[in-house]
Amino acid sequence: DAGVIQSPRHEVTEMGQEVTLRCKPISGHNSLFWYRQTMMRGLELLIYFNNNVPIDDSGMPEDRFSAKMPNASFSTLKIQPSEPRDSAVYFCASSPDRVMIGELFFGEGSRLTVL
Amino acid sequence: EDKVVQSPLSLVVHEGDTVTLNCSYEVTNFRSLLWYKQEKKAPTFLFMLTSSGIEKKSGRLSSILDKKELFSILNITATQTGDSAVYLCAVEAGPQGGKLIFGQGTELSVKP
């Protein structure tokens, strides 16, 4: 299996622009997670899905952030409009188990820089 | 509010030393505790612990969980420069499970 695939790997954009990050989880995994990592705050859970349904989005910073999972093999995280404080590495991760996570499998991350 | 706290935040040792990394937590509906190693890129899985007092071991790394005192330790013996990384502790919690909360991490640097 190719593992969790994220794109783009790097994105540099200007404040106010829309940013869309993409994720393809491992085939057969039921749960998908979006995390944000910064030096100041470490790894923060933004949102997670079970069987394509959002379960907990309490970590989404504000209305500028939205996430979707239209099917079992694709998810997006959108930031509109972007701000410099959104600069971070965004990780997508998937897990085979619905109730008890066990191991999370992480993608390589998308490094976002907002100027 | 659920939280996971790791200590120390950073540590510098020499090859051959033994290190102990700490993780304490306060969460609702604890389900499991996991340790990850993060080098330049994505975190990679080390251990998952669900029961108190049972040591998990993999080579020079070992970990144990104390659910009464709400903490876990990760030990690395005979450290090598390749052990240099950020070690992350995460706790799965929440009424439905599935919510993995990470600590800040411990940055370990092993000098030759």
Side-chain angles (χ1 to χ4, degrees), chain B residues 33-105:
Chain B
L33 185 144
L34 297 90
W35 285 96
Y36 285 82
K37 178 181 181 181
Q38 186 175 25
E39 295 172 272
K40 295 292 183 188
K41 33 193 181 180
T44 54
F45 174 78
L46 294 174
F47 298 112
M48 184 173 84
L49 302 148
T50 55
S51 302
S52 281
I54 298 175
E55 185 182 53
K56 291 274 182 106
K57 202 167 169 65
S58 175
R60 296 175 294 102
L61 277 65
S62 63
S63 182
I64 198 160
L65 172 67
D66 186 327
K67 290 167 73 174
K68 183 179 177 186
E69 299 298 329
L70 308 183
F71 78 90
S72 173
I73 59 172
L74 175 68
N75 281 319
I76 309 174
T77 59
T79 52
Q80 302 171 358
T81 54
D83 295 327
S84 296
V86 175
Y87 290 84
L88 295 163
C89 172
V91 173
E92 184 192 359
Q96 298 185 57
K99 187 171 184 175
L100 204 58
I101 303 158
F102 281 82
Q104 283 283 83

Side-chain angles (χ1 to χ4, degrees), chain A residues 64-79:
Chain A
R64 298 184 296 107
F65 285 69
S66 62
K68 293 182 180 178
M69 192 165 185
N71 58 61
S73 58
F74 184 65
S75 177
T76 59
L77 177 67
K78 188 174 290 188
I79 308 171

